[in-house]
Amino acid sequence: MNMKRLILLFIALAPSITFAQFDESWNLPGYTPIAEIVILDQLENTEGIKKTGDIFSKAKGVFSISAINTIQNRAMEKLKTEASLRGASHLYIKNFNPENSVFSKTASYSASTYRQEGEINFTKARDFLKDNQLQIELSRKYNRNAWKVIDQIQSKPVQRIKVEDIQEKGGRVLVKIFTSENQAILCEVIGLSDTRILLTTETRGNEEFELLGLGIRDKNVNIIQNRQ
């Protein structure tokens, strides 16, 4: 196999390898991986879970050469991906609109997102955030329109988090983090263990979302000064 083919093979395999590593390494309590999102058959099945929002997805085919089932599956995968990145554990499908004609093949879903109540303990999350020097170790970005999921390993320190930057609102744990470049990012805590935390944030309106995995920094590394 020549070098060009090796490079193309690496590019093709890298996203799926990273994707699997993310779900294995960052499957923290409170976070639901894409493959484990539950589809609710009836609204009566929402006992013990709380509505967190509404989302939609759409997938298109190329005229008659695209199988409608493939398009529907892609639209569902997009829906589950956004639900997972936004901290949901369950979906209730409100509308499903397929179009299967010679000239147009599309499938779209609209759904409400739900998550288990009390999954994230505010006191535990607050103490973890304020008591540790943290760094961003991995990010997962998803663009609803472009249908792209990009996983990236990082080692990006954040400034010491102040207690006033952490709050509980409507059952959600919100935190404002500041990067070393003093960039402020408003996030929601959706996963938490004793050594790691998962945060979700919107990076471009209601179109692009990012999941940030933060871990505890090595104490031997120079600590970023607190904001004045």
Side-chain angles (χ1 to χ4, degrees), residues 198-216:
L198 277 173
L199 309 176
T200 183
T201 183
E202 293 182 6
T203 58
R204 188 185 300 169
N206 195 30
E207 173 186 327
E208 189 172 271
F209 311 93
E210 185 172 13
L211 193 62
L212 299 173
L214 277 67
I216 300 173

Side-chain angles (χ1 to χ4, degrees), residues 180-193:
S180 55
E181 296 85 11
N182 213 36
Q183 176 191 5
I185 307 174
L186 181 61
C187 306
E188 179 183 355
V189 179
I190 63 169
L192 178 64
S193 71

